Amino acid sequence: ASTRVVLDSIPNGLIGIGLLELAPNNKIYFGQAYQCNVAPYCYPYPDSVYNYVNMNLSVINYPDSLGTACGYAPFSFYLGGKRTYYGLPNNPDYDMPALAGSPCDTLTSLNEAAAAVAVAGLYVYYSPQWQTAFVNADKLSGATYRLIIYDLMGKEVFSESGKITPPYFTKNLNCGGWAKGMYVVSLECGIEKLVKKFVVE
């Protein structure tokens, strides 16, 4: 207690402390609920309860930095008109590779194909300066490809098909005009299907 640095103070009876979750962009998001004096809890919110507490998440921008250097920004992430309570969603890890021979591998049906997925690699780097996502893959065996980009709502925002010279694939995607947020890259090449995510900042 003697070495702690107080970054925020929560008024009693106004804000309910919620959950913290580390996001894929390496920031920690903090959900809090507004206590609107409806016994025993303010759930669900009445239609009139929209405010800075329940319409935003707080963010720790640099979790690996000590004290004020962590960049804690209370109520700084706008939820687009939606409201939050105490919890945060469970975000699956889309980067997990296939386990060859596993019945849980739904990307392919053949053990040989699953083994190929495990060997091939997909790499995506987004440059905010150039507003460009650099998509690269190696150890591919197919000669044709289909590249699809989805937003987190599952909407297709880009698709392209063509031929490649295996084992490599490369594509520079201009993301100028894309909304900020996370996107999922799906690359199908022969029997291989690779998935990766990236964040447009």
Side-chain angles (χ1 to χ4, degrees):
S2 63
T3 61
R4 72 183 176 190
V5 176
V6 178
L7 300 176
D8 199 4
S9 178
I10 306 299
N12 287 333
L14 175 64
I15 302 172
I17 302 299
L19 299 177
L20 295 121
E21 184 170 333
L22 179 64
N25 63 1
N26 293 321
K27 298 180 181 183
I28 294 178
Y29 291 85
F30 182 21
Q32 299 171 77
Y34 182 72
Q35 301 291 354
C36 56
N37 299 321
V38 177
Y41 301 105
C42 190
Y43 180 86
Y45 288 128
D47 290 342
S48 59
V49 178
Y50 283 85
N51 56 39
Y52 74 96
V53 175
N54 62 17
M55 296 178 69
N56 297 276
L57 297 176
S58 298
V59 184
I60 301 173
N61 288 288
Y62 313 106
D64 293 334
S65 299
L66 295 175
T68 56
C70 74
Y72 176 67
F75 309 111
S76 60
F77 186 84
Y78 180 58
L79 296 173
K82 307 297 184 184
R83 296 180 290 182
T84 182
Y85 292 98
Y86 299 98
L88 291 170
N90 178 21
N91 296 313
D93 184 358
Y94 292 104
D95 287 339
M96 292 183 68
L99 179 60
S102 169
C104 298
D105 177 19
T106 58
L107 296 179
T108 56
S109 59
L110 300 175
N111 289 348
E112 295 82 7
V117 172
V119 171
L122 177 62
Y123 312 94
V124 181
Y125 169 73
Y126 175 74
S127 168
Q129 180 181 2
W130 294 334
Q131 294 185 319
T132 300
F134 299 93
V135 181
N136 295 285
D138 61 6
K139 301 179 183 176
L140 300 171
S141 58
T144 61
Y145 75 92
R146 179 166 168 75
L147 178 67
I148 308 174
I149 314 295
Y150 302 94
D151 63 18
L152 276 190
M153 300 302 292
K155 179 182 176 184
E156 185 179 303
V157 296
F158 176 86
S159 68
E160 180 180 87
S161 299
K163 294 183 178 181
I164 63 169
T165 303
Y168 300 108
F169 172 84
T170 184
K171 176 72 178 179
N172 298 345
L173 287 172
N174 183 354
C175 302
W178 290 22
K180 292 182 178 180
M182 187 179 301
Y183 292 85
V184 178
V185 179
S186 173
L187 176 65
E188 298 177 19
C189 187
I191 60 172
E192 299 157 330
K193 181 173 181 180
L194 306 172
V195 178
K196 197 79 171 179
K197 61 181 180 291
F198 71 96
V199 176
V200 172
E201 300 177 350

